[in-house]
Amino acid sequence: MNYDMEDTQNAAPGSLPPNQATKLAPRKGPDAHSTTKRLQTELMQLMTSSAPGISAFPSADGNLLSWTATIEGPDDTPYADLTFKLSFAFPSNYPYAPPTVLFKTPIYHPNVDFSGRICLDILKDKWTAAYNIQTVLLSLQSLLGEPNNASPLNGEAAELWDKDMEDFKKKVLSRHRDVDDE
Amino acid sequence: MTNPRSSTRQKRVFDSVFGAREFSQPTPHATPDTGFTVPGQRFGGPLVDISHVFPAPPLANIRDDPRSLSQEESSHVKDKVRWDRSWHIVTHALLLPEFPQNWNSIVPLQPQKELLDGGFDHSLDNVLYPQDRLPFARDTEDIFEWHTQQVRSHFLHQVLPIILHLRENHAPDLLVRSSIKILETAHHQYLHGLAIMKEHMDISAPGTSMPILAKFRRDLHAIISKSVMEPLSAALRRLFERHIYTVLGLPLTKGNENSAIVPEGLGSEEARRQIIGLVESLRNIGLAGEKFQVSFAEIMNSSMTEYVYRGCKGLWDSEDGTSYNNATGSSGKEGTVLPRTAHHSSPSRCVTDLCEWIENRYAKLAVQVLGVLDIKTQVSWGDKEKYKEMGIGRLAELRINELFDIVKNWPHSGGALDDLRTAITTPQRRLHLTEAFANTLNEKLLHPGASTLQILQTYISMIWSFHALDHSKVLLDRVAYPLQLYLCSREDTVRIIITGLLADPEDSQGKETSVEKLVELAHLLNSGSEKIEQRANDEDLDWHDMEWVPDPVDAGPGYKRSKNADIIGTLIGALGAQDVFIKEFQNIIGENLLKYDGGFEREIKVLELLKVRFGESPLQACEVMLKDIQDSGRVNGLVRKKQKLNVTPDEEAAILSHRAEKQHRQTRGSGGPNLEEAAEKPSINAKILSRLFWPQLQDDNFLVPSEIADLQKRYEEGFASLKASRKLTWLHALGQATVELELEDRTIVEEVHTWQATVIWAFQSDNEKAPQHTRPEILGQQTSPTRSIALHVCRSRDAEPRRPRASNAQAAASSSAANDNDGDDESNQLKKDSIESEKMQLYWQFIQSMLKNSSSQMPLQQIAMTLKMLIMDGFPYSNEELREFLARKVADGELELVGGKYKLNKK
């Protein structure tokens, strides 16, 4: 009698190869499905509890990973009564990585360069999955009123903000142009 | 061998490959012992004195005259002659006799030793050692080969047919015994001849006989087992099966579910002796070959499965097992009985039984039987450990198959879980367990036929059982995942859990309401909410924890140790979204708070529990709701006192109740009669709610009776004087009223909706004509008066209401407390309309945002498509309905329609 055989006999029949075992483990990693789901949920949140002055929506081409957002300039800032359009590009592992956010509307702001790139910590290294589109938009809105002049992308604007607010306002207005995507 | 034709063919094939071996048959007995014939004499003829006939050699030229042969030639001839003579003598003596037909009788062995004389011995020497004694004889043969051949043909022609014949007529038991007897007799006979030769050899050349004897035995056994084993194997197997089952205490009759394991006794001892005896005789006659060993192994194998099946199936209870364990535990015996791998703090009864059985009966038998057989692999006593592990493996397999029922039987299946826990020691088994269980779960539970309640109950049992099985929760996580997914797809899951939490445990024990409610949760909540507190400490490694074990090998990366089962936590966690849960909770306690009076201890308890889990802030609204109710009890008392609305508390009664709402506060009112004004007067009680914190409350417009309106007004005034900056807004529809209908023959006390009470009230105005005026009075709602009247009429079909005396009205501001179906339909209808408008509002948000951000102008088609794609619950309306909706917005001036495309109207 060969007892070496017994071990295999003893092993539960029908047991799976180990690679299938991993399938049983709860799915925790990010995948395309959970990203779209998250974005859909965020959209629903935006729709049901909209904050004043901000709105966002997926692009017309039906790609849920690319959105367009609108911020209205807060009152009592040089940007009052102006609206700014932004583009959001979500990575496939969102929300584990931040979206890429750009100003589409030309804006004169210490923390935004002339091609619309934004210097904001929560969009870079301070990003956590707890942030969402709404919080990003609210942060950007407050950034309009309170620029971070310590690390400007637009040095001239930062200087002007501190020295000559009137001139700054003029620059803002002259730079602002309504973009129409049509 | 049974088929003569096939055996002939077999032989032919065999011969064509290996060459046929010819053996000379023994010289016929009739051949006279004439010696070598003299030349000229006819061979075999009568002895003639040749000197008479041929006085001299007649032919001098006869060349082969032996006498004229050379010395060498003549010694050749001489040897050959002597060889032939010796061969004749020996083979003649050793010729096997006919096999006795009555094989039972003891036949004297042929040839009898005493009859053999010196001549035989001499001849045997010649035959055995022809090289030495007859160096010149040609064509000598091997006497052993001859004997073997003789035995073979004797066996095939005489013995085998008897056995085959027996097979047709005898029961297996008898057949085996008879066959063994026959074979033993034959064996005896066959060996006898050899024994004579052996004896001789031992004298003449000591030590040379053994290999020859062994070879003969081997050949003989090969012949026997090849020819006999096949016809006998079935009977042999049956016989052995019976005996083995007797020894092992297994019931012999198959299919009898209830027969239990027979304890060891005289019967099993007897059977054991029989088996050993049988095996011994089988070995002696050469039937204990590989085939027998295989079938023995098969029987043992199936008997182990059988034992596990018989002894453990359905035995899940650990009740009687505990005493057993204690007994063995105290005597220190379990340490020896259980295999090393199965050691566990509390070995279950089945496992202990199984191990004992294997040790005392199974392994003993196996070792004994295999000890009798001479096989190469030695099975020692130490192998019992392996048997035990195998047995436990079988048990695990059985339990895994039963697991679903075991889980359903919780908490009466602790023993079975102990078994499993002992058995699932390898990752493979754990994996198999979860695999098998998930399959059963899918088959038996996760289908539309099972109610959500049932699923949740099973889930709770699962949490308990799997926690008992494996504290680490790894197994549970694996099986619970599909269940959780499925539960999420059921709409009523959250509601059932919350109502379960809020259920009254005492109530359920009496009335068996567990069929509808998940009262288990309420029990849990009442018994062990403090357990949850210790969760926070689980995070850190406790250095004083002597029970610490490493994480299981198959734990996932997100694995977190948790010691308690935490049913409620798991259930709430399973449903993921906390906001869904909280919203539902809010709705339900809202209903409860408005519907009932009292301390609401359970609601508070559940709220506390949820606060621990979700944090304070998301549950703030609920807290405010509870506080509202508590406050309004006080305020209500004050107001009523102040406005002289009060009656003595024990006579407190109300007709109608209403809900009031103000900027912040809502009131729920109820009426009670003023005692002085007899029972005619209704009284009113209110609950004051903070509107912003309550879920959406439905209200209908209808005119409350003027008496009630007066009461409300007075109440309002009282409230205003109490809290100056606040104003009450009454929510008429949410109240509840207790009405007492005095009919001719009986009095009905009924708790009804306020609008129903209003209709009833209309009948109070003195005479039967009143109903005609109700409709204009009540206004607002077209359907409800009709329905309430229908209710009313159907309640009092026989008797026209004489003086419905509304006296005992207790109010509650609840939207779904109707006890008749009409009312329910009504409120559902109302709810639906408003939900739709609420949803439409959401869709409008979508459309606005879409036109603002993604594209400033869009055709209808695209809007519809985008909505369908992006709204998670789906967009249920057709393009036409959407077009209508958008057209309304265009008419309102919020949209523009330019060239078939919609765009936002820029203000």
Side-chain angles (χ1 to χ4, degrees):
Chain A
M1 281 189 194
N2 184 4
Y3 278 102
D4 295 343
M5 297 296 291
E6 290 301 329
D7 285 335
T8 48
Q9 240 181 37
N10 247 344
S15 52
L16 291 173
N19 60 345
Q20 269 173 280
T22 53
K23 282 189 195 164
L24 287 167
R27 273 141 265 210
K28 290 206 168 116
D31 55 62
H33 183 68
S34 71
T35 303
T36 23
K37 193 145 189 226
R38 155 91 181 214
L39 286 169
Q40 270 183 323
T41 318
E42 285 197 25
L43 178 63
M44 194 57 89
Q45 262 172 9
L46 276 169
M47 293 303 125
T48 47
S49 60
S50 54
I54 58 166
S55 76
F57 206 80
S59 301
D61 57 1
N63 179 8
L64 211 54
L65 292 180
S66 124
W67 287 38
T68 310
T70 312
I71 298 182
E72 281 166 24
D75 296 340
D76 314 324
T77 67
Y79 305 97
D81 299 328
L82 300 177
T83 60
F84 297 94
K85 285 208 182 282
L86 300 109
S87 74
F88 277 70
F90 296 97
S92 60
N93 58 345
Y94 180 80
Y96 300 103
T100 310
V101 187
L102 294 175
F103 271 96
K104 283 289 158 202
T105 311
I107 181 172
Y108 188 76
H109 187 276
N111 299 112
V112 184
D113 73 4
F114 285 104
S115 48
R117 286 181 293 224
I118 306 161
C119 177
L120 182 62
D121 53 356
I122 64 160
L123 289 175
K124 306 265 167 16
D125 49 334
K126 289 283 193 321
W127 172 262
T128 76
Y131 288 118
N132 57 31
I133 301 168
Q134 193 164 7
T135 54
V136 167
L137 285 174
L138 287 172
S139 307
L140 286 172
Q141 203 180 23
S142 67
L143 188 72
L144 291 183
E146 300 152 13
N148 178 10
N149 284 335
S151 61
L153 276 178
N154 182 344
E156 184 204 55
E159 236 168 80
L160 268 186
W161 177 278
D162 292 331
K163 283 187 192 153
D164 189 351
M165 194 46 93
E166 282 307 307
D167 205 17
F168 186 87
K169 272 184 191 163
K170 255 183 251 161
K171 293 255 187 188
V172 166
L173 289 177
S174 71
R175 176 137 178 79
H176 183 263
R177 215 174 315 114
D178 269 327
V179 284
D180 208 344
D181 45 0
E182 294 306 302
Chain B
M1 276 298 150
T2 48
N3 188 346
R5 258 190 69 197
S6 77
S7 75
T8 337
R9 277 180 58 196
Q10 252 178 23
K11 189 167 169 9
R12 281 223 310 270
V13 171
F14 186 85
D15 289 349
S16 71
V17 176
F18 296 103
R21 302 205 56 179
E22 289 301 328
F23 289 97
S24 52
Q25 294 301 310
T27 322
H29 193 250
T31 309
D33 188 2
T34 52
F36 198 74
T37 46
V38 181
Q41 177 128 20
R42 275 175 302 152
F43 179 79
L47 191 62
V48 191
D49 185 357
I50 51 170
S51 57
H52 289 289
V53 183
F54 302 107
L59 298 166
N61 61 345
I62 290 176
R63 300 289 290 262
D64 54 353
D65 179 355
R67 278 165 236 185
S68 67
L69 294 176
S70 66
Q71 187 57 37
E72 194 186 327
E73 273 183 333
S74 91
S75 67
H76 270 279
V77 172
K78 223 159 57 192
D79 277 4
K80 178 68 183 160
V81 170
R82 280 170 61 197
W83 161 261
D84 282 346
R85 289 255 28 107
S86 306
W87 181 259
H88 172 80
I89 290 168
V90 171
T91 52
H92 179 69
L94 294 181
L95 184 64
L96 290 166
E98 288 285 309
F99 197 74
Q101 279 303 315
N102 55 338
W103 34 269
N104 274 324
S105 60
I106 310 293
V107 272
L109 291 168
Q110 289 290 343
Q112 284 155 352
K113 242 177 232 169
E114 310 79 61
L115 300 181
L116 299 172
D117 49 12
F120 175 79
D121 285 342
H122 187 71
S123 309
L124 191 57
D125 266 342
N126 288 344
V127 172
L128 284 174
Y129 311 109
Q131 290 89 346
D132 303 337
R133 302 183 59 112
L134 304 167
F136 299 106
R138 279 173 300 176
D139 304 328
T140 56
E141 290 180 61
D142 188 344
I143 184 71
F144 298 108
E145 296 239 19
W146 172 82
H147 188 64
T148 312
Q149 183 66 19
Q150 169 188 251
V151 163
R152 172 178 295 153
S153 69
H154 182 267
F155 179 77
L156 291 183
H157 290 119
Q158 303 205 26
V159 182
L160 188 60
I162 299 176
I163 292 174
L164 292 180
H165 179 70
L166 279 176
R167 193 170 67 131
E168 287 160 19
N169 306 328
H170 288 72
D173 195 4
L174 196 59
L175 168 63
V176 170
R177 283 177 202 293
S178 313
S179 307
I180 289 175
K181 191 103 185 167
I182 293 169
L183 289 170
E184 270 173 349
T185 315
H187 220 77
H188 212 53
Q189 233 175 28
Y190 297 158
L191 283 178
H192 177 70
L194 203 69
I196 294 170
M197 286 189 267
K198 176 180 177 287
E199 215 168 84
H200 193 82
M201 280 172 84
D202 286 343
I203 298 166
S204 54
T208 53
S209 62
M210 286 317 288
I212 291 166
L213 200 65
K215 180 175 183 298
F216 176 74
R217 255 180 211 283
R218 210 173 58 232
D219 287 349
L220 182 59
H221 287 175
I223 298 164
I224 292 177
S225 77
K226 177 143 170 36
S227 54
V228 180
M229 199 57 204
E230 207 172 292
L232 276 189
S233 63
L236 207 59
R237 198 191 163 102
R238 229 170 303 158
L239 185 68
F240 265 91
E241 203 164 50
R242 216 175 63 214
H243 284 315
I244 290 176
Y245 274 35
T246 315
V247 173
L248 298 180
L250 296 169
L252 294 170
T253 45
K254 297 222 163 161
N256 188 358
E257 294 277 332
N258 299 323
S259 42
I261 305 301
V262 186
E264 254 180 324
L266 283 178
S268 59
E269 265 317 303
E270 171 63 27
R272 184 195 304 279
R273 228 174 304 121
Q274 288 215 16
I275 292 178
I276 305 293
L278 264 175
V279 173
E280 262 165 9
S281 39
L282 283 179
R283 183 199 58 190
N284 289 340
I285 56 173
L287 280 181
E290 197 172 317
K291 272 186 182 163
F292 167 75
Q293 287 162 24
V294 166
S295 51
F296 177 71
E298 278 171 5
I299 293 168
M300 289 303 274
N301 179 42
S302 66
S303 69
M304 184 183 281
T305 314
E306 186 77 10
Y307 176 83
V308 169
Y309 182 83
R310 296 268 176 209
C312 305
K313 191 177 188 218
L315 281 181
W316 301 332
D317 210 340
S318 54
E319 292 293 301
D320 44 343
T322 45
S323 60
Y324 183 89
N325 281 339
N326 289 343
T328 51
S330 58
S331 67
K333 196 177 160 197
E334 61 186 311
T336 58
V337 170
L338 292 173
R340 190 177 46 79
T341 49
H343 267 309
H344 200 275
S345 49
S346 64
S348 65
R349 187 176 66 98
C350 282
V351 170
T352 325
D353 277 358
L354 179 67
C355 288
E356 252 188 8
W357 176 77
I358 286 176
E359 169 141 347
N360 295 340
R361 303 173 90 167
Y362 190 87
K364 193 167 156 194
L365 180 69
V367 170
Q368 276 177 342
V369 169
L370 294 176
V372 171
L373 298 175
D374 42 345
I375 46 174
K376 288 177 202 92
T377 324
Q378 278 302 311
V379 179
S380 69
W381 187 232
D383 287 322
K384 70 184 179 187
E385 296 298 312
K386 278 180 183 147
Y387 292 135
K388 281 179 191 171
E389 273 165 44
M390 278 165 67
I392 289 172
R394 303 274 161 86
L395 181 63
E397 182 63 30
L398 172 75
R399 289 288 184 246
I400 286 170
N401 290 335
E402 290 177 323
L403 188 57
F404 186 74
D405 297 317
I406 293 176
V407 164
K408 285 201 108 173
N409 244 354
W410 174 267
H412 306 293
S413 52
L417 291 171
D418 279 345
D419 292 345
L420 257 185
R421 193 175 39 183
T422 325
I424 47 161
T425 44
T426 60
Q428 286 95 332
R429 272 195 208 154
R430 290 163 68 97
L431 185 62
H432 175 61
L433 178 135
T434 49
E435 223 6 50
F437 187 74
N439 279 341
T440 343
L441 204 63
N442 256 333
E443 251 168 49
K444 293 196 176 168
L445 200 64
L446 304 184
H447 53 71
S451 72
T452 310
L453 187 72
Q454 219 176 331
I455 298 176
L456 281 170
Q457 273 164 344
T458 313
Y459 191 21
I460 292 177
S461 315
M462 263 170 71
I463 298 174
W464 280 121
S465 317
F466 276 78
H467 186 254
L469 200 60
D470 169 39
H471 290 286
S472 67
K473 276 191 177 176
V474 172
L475 294 183
L476 179 65
D477 279 352
R478 273 198 228 144
V479 291
Y481 186 68
L483 185 73
Q484 289 174 0
L485 272 188
Y486 188 78
L487 275 179
C488 287
S489 71
R490 293 262 178 140
E491 283 174 2
D492 49 349
T493 313
V494 178
R495 174 163 279 267
I496 287 178
I497 292 175
I498 295 173
T499 43
L501 283 172
L502 294 174
D504 188 352
E506 278 77 42
D507 182 51
S508 67
Q509 279 163 353
K511 287 197 270 175
E512 289 287 321
T513 42
S514 54
V515 215
E516 307 135 42
K517 276 189 184 172
L518 213 53
V519 283
E520 292 94 329
L521 285 180
H523 285 295
L524 280 173
L525 190 65
N526 287 337
S527 60
S529 47
E530 64 277 356
K531 274 187 196 164
I532 292 151
E533 312 298 329
Q534 76 188 62
R535 275 185 92 241
N537 306 336
D538 284 345
E539 304 290 323
D540 288 319
L541 197 57
D542 182 5
W543 296 100
H544 299 289
D545 185 4
M546 287 301 140
E547 305 271 284
W548 186 87
V549 282
D551 287 354
V553 278
D554 42 359
Y559 174 71
K560 233 183 198 170
R561 174 171 300 276
S562 164
K563 274 204 192 118
N564 45 36
D566 191 15
I567 306 281
I568 301 171
T570 316
L571 274 184
I572 296 175
L575 299 161
Q578 76 175 63
D579 45 340
V580 177
F581 203 86
I582 291 172
K583 204 169 167 192
E584 192 69 41
F585 177 68
Q586 215 172 336
N587 284 336
I588 289 172
I589 66 164
E591 265 172 39
N592 283 359
L593 290 177
L594 294 178
K595 198 164 157 188
Y596 307 111
D597 287 320
F600 299 108
E601 288 91 3
R602 275 193 304 283
E603 279 78 1
I604 294 170
K605 205 167 199 174
V606 175
L607 182 61
E608 289 303 315
L609 168 81
L610 292 180
K611 268 203 272 184
V612 169
R613 190 160 299 282
F614 295 139
E616 300 257 346
S617 53
L619 288 156
Q620 201 190 359
C622 300
E623 204 151 347
V624 173
M625 287 164 73
L626 267 169
K627 198 160 177 296
D628 272 350
I629 298 300
Q630 283 159 352
D631 285 351
S632 58
R634 216 175 50 241
V635 173
N636 185 38
L638 279 173
V639 171
R640 284 166 58 83
K641 206 165 163 191
K642 198 164 184 164
Q643 295 296 308
K644 307 254 170 356
L645 291 167
N646 223 357
V647 287
T648 45
D650 46 357
E651 279 163 316
E652 182 167 310
I655 300 176
L656 291 169
S657 80
H658 297 286
R659 167 79 65 84
E661 177 179 324
K662 146 189 156 138
Q663 284 110 347
H664 295 33
R665 311 236 109 191
Q666 294 179 330
T667 324
R668 160 253 202 204
S670 74
N674 219 331
L675 241 213
E676 299 88 63
E677 291 162 83
E680 300 293 306
K681 278 280 180 185
S683 109
I684 186 165
N685 284 302
K687 282 181 177 168
I688 300 146
L689 317 174
S690 307
R691 179 174 60 95
L692 284 179
F693 292 94
W694 284 70
Q696 197 71 39
L697 297 164
Q698 304 300 324
D699 191 23
D700 297 329
N701 283 322
F702 59 90
L703 284 186
V704 293
S706 54
E707 286 89 340
I708 306 300
D710 285 348
L711 280 174
Q712 285 180 338
K713 202 156 188 153
R714 282 170 64 193
Y715 197 104
E716 245 171 88
E717 281 162 10
F719 183 79
S721 67
L722 213 73
K723 308 214 167 184
S725 62
R726 294 175 173 179
K727 216 185 117 208
L728 288 177
T729 308
W730 296 90
L731 292 176
H732 304 301
L734 289 176
Q736 254 179 339
T738 312
V739 295
E740 198 178 304
L741 297 180
E742 262 180 25
L743 306 176
E744 258 171 4
D745 52 344
R746 64 194 185 278
T747 305
I748 300 170
V749 179
E750 195 78 56
E751 194 143 297
V752 295
H753 279 287
T754 43
W755 44 269
Q756 288 165 336
T758 308
V759 174
I760 294 167
W761 182 269
F763 287 88
Q764 182 154 318
S765 354
D766 296 332
N767 52 48
E768 282 103 69
K769 282 168 195 156
Q772 278 91 312
H773 309 296
T774 5
R775 195 174 284 269
E777 244 173 67
I778 295 169
L779 282 179
Q781 265 263 346
Q782 284 93 354
T783 41
S784 63
T786 352
R787 285 183 189 242
S788 352
I789 289 167
L791 157 84
H792 186 165
V793 167
C794 113
R795 286 275 152 80
S796 52
R797 192 173 294 138
D798 317 326
E800 191 72 6
R802 299 288 294 173
R803 262 179 83 81
R805 188 186 53 146
S807 60
N808 216 3
Q810 157 83 53
S814 153
S815 58
S816 71
N819 16 3
D820 68 304
N821 294 329
D822 285 344
D824 270 348
D825 290 350
E826 205 62 50
S827 49
N828 286 348
Q829 183 61 39
L830 289 172
K831 233 181 226 169
K832 201 181 164 209
D833 283 346
S834 79
I835 283 170
E836 267 161 32
S837 71
E838 187 187 313
K839 276 217 167 144
M840 235 36 226
Q841 191 55 39
L842 177 72
Y843 299 148
W844 176 233
Q845 275 288 342
F846 266 91
I847 295 164
Q848 270 181 310
S849 197
M850 189 190 312
L851 291 174
K852 196 167 180 184
N853 291 302
S854 65
S855 179
S856 62
Q857 43 185 335
M858 286 173 121
L860 177 82
Q861 204 66 32
Q862 202 183 354
I863 295 177
M865 235 176 62
T866 316
L867 286 177
K868 276 181 187 144
M869 191 176 74
L870 292 176
I871 298 175
M872 275 194 289
D873 310 332
F875 179 70
Y877 300 100
S878 69
N879 285 1
E880 280 62 42
E881 283 167 305
L882 181 64
R883 190 198 304 281
E884 223 171 272
F885 176 75
L886 293 177
R888 272 210 304 280
K889 292 291 179 191
V890 171
D892 291 349
E894 297 195 59
L895 282 180
E896 277 181 280
L897 181 59
V898 182
K901 289 183 172 180
Y902 292 90
K903 57 191 281 188
L904 288 172
N905 198 356
K906 290 206 176 108
K907 285 154 209 166

